[in-house]
Amino acid sequence: MKKILLVEDDPNLGLLLQDYLQLKGKFDVVLCKDGEEGLRTFTKQSYDLLILDVMMPKKDGFTLGKEIRKINSHVPIIFATAKGMIEDKTQAFNLGGDDYITKPFRIEELLLRINALLKRANNSEKVEEEKQTIFKIGRYTFDYTAQLITTDENQQKLSTKEAELLRLLCLRKNEVLTREEALLNIWHDDNYFNGRSMDVFLSKIRKYLKDDPSVEIINVHGRGYKLLID
């Protein structure tokens, strides 16, 4: 469940937005009544998206957004305000805002904007993931480019197919990697014979990682595999 921090000083509007986004958007929404409370709350845990009212007591939304950007440069921020001047919109984006919505607005429109920003953020994370070549797997370090699994005492050279399969498992750590996805990514064909070959490579990878009890590759019946790391 995606977590949203909503900072809104109007209690009626704040509760309305919180209830709607939790019910319709299936989000976990934390509501704060002013900018100072919003900053304290933000520093205590991570959030997937922020909605900041601009006109607030103690600390306005623009100041809050500026201070949050010093802490976190990438979390999506939507500024909400009754001020619709182009200068205000320019300031919102210059401060690192990702979107700007003018009050009064339809809550359905806000939900559409939230979903669009979260989708964009998720795609950006996936692009960064695709660039990753070094993975920590319990007591092992896996270097995809060098095709090596190393510990303080030993190292194991992997074949190209083994390295590609282990990398996909690492990218889906603690999540299901489907057989179809693995076969199409590595063999470009999910036929029976390629599936049998993949099972052999997977068995070898399990042996390479067997000395760390906190690491396990399990079969998920009818779906695929999951790399579990405690």
Side-chain angles (χ1 to χ4, degrees):
M1 182 180 290
K2 297 291 186 181
K3 198 173 191 69
I4 293 176
L5 178 62
L6 169 62
V7 188
E8 169 60 61
D9 68 318
D10 182 332
N12 293 326
L13 178 57
L15 288 172
L16 177 65
L17 292 174
Q18 183 183 40
D19 289 345
Y20 182 88
L21 294 176
Q22 290 184 154
L23 180 64
K24 297 293 186 180
K26 308 301 182 184
F27 300 119
D28 179 8
V29 182
V30 176
L31 175 62
C32 297
K33 64 182 182 298
D34 60 61
E36 289 185 356
E37 181 186 355
L39 183 60
R40 287 196 304 271
T41 303
F42 178 78
T43 57
K44 292 178 181 177
Q45 55 186 303
S46 62
Y47 291 89
D48 297 290
L49 183 138
L50 313 180
I51 303 171
L52 309 181
D53 181 32
V54 172
M55 304 297 290
M56 292 188 296
K58 297 185 180 180
K59 191 189 297 288
D60 67 85
F62 285 153
T63 301
L64 175 59
K66 184 177 181 180
E67 293 178 357
I68 285 174
R69 276 289 174 252
K70 293 178 182 177
I71 303 170
N72 186 308
S73 63
H74 61 271
V75 62
I77 298 177
I78 298 176
F79 287 105
T81 180
K83 300 169 68 177
M85 299 293 290
I86 187 63
E87 293 83 0
D88 298 310
K89 295 182 179 180
T90 300
Q91 184 178 2
F93 289 115
N94 286 341
L95 288 172
D98 297 273
D99 205 348
Y100 184 106
I101 191 165
T102 304
K103 297 179 179 178
F105 54 79
R106 293 178 61 87
I107 303 181
E108 296 87 350
E109 179 185 352
L110 176 62
L111 180 58
L112 289 173
R113 290 170 182 255
I114 290 170
N115 286 332
L117 282 177
L118 289 175
K119 182 178 180 181
R120 188 190 311 165
N122 187 53
N123 288 339
S124 297
E125 289 174 3
K126 287 182 178 179
V127 169
E128 289 303 312
E129 277 186 350
E130 294 303 319
K131 298 177 182 178
Q132 186 176 354
T133 59
I134 305 294
F135 302 89
K136 191 66 178 174
I137 309 172
R139 60 190 289 256
Y140 305 99
T141 299
F142 168 46
D143 186 328
Y144 169 69
T145 304
Q147 297 180 202
L148 282 175
I149 295 175
T150 59
T151 64
D152 292 337
E153 306 87 22
N154 301 300
Q155 69 176 29
Q156 173 66 53
K157 182 69 174 178
L158 304 183
S159 70
T160 299
K161 288 287 193 292
E162 289 169 350
E164 290 177 346
L165 182 54
L166 183 54
R167 178 173 177 270
L168 285 179
L169 287 165
C170 289
L171 289 173
R172 302 290 185 275
K173 181 179 65 174
N174 296 321
E175 299 177 2
V176 175
L177 171 66
T178 67
R179 285 181 63 86
E180 181 182 27
E181 180 182 358
L183 288 167
L184 291 177
N185 270 278
I186 301 172
W187 281 269
H188 310 295
D189 190 331
D190 60 349
N191 67 49
Y192 171 81
F193 299 103
N194 288 337
R196 297 298 294 168
S197 295
M198 183 171 69
D199 291 337
V200 173
F201 287 119
L202 194 63
S203 178
K204 291 182 179 180
I205 292 171
R206 285 190 172 109
K207 290 179 181 178
Y208 301 152
L209 304 175
K210 66 181 176 61
D211 291 334
D212 188 343
S214 70
V215 177
E216 185 180 11
I217 300 173
I218 65 170
N219 293 331
V220 181
H221 182 69
R223 297 183 64 192
Y225 313 99
K226 184 184 292 188
L227 171 63
L228 297 177
I229 304 175
D230 291 341

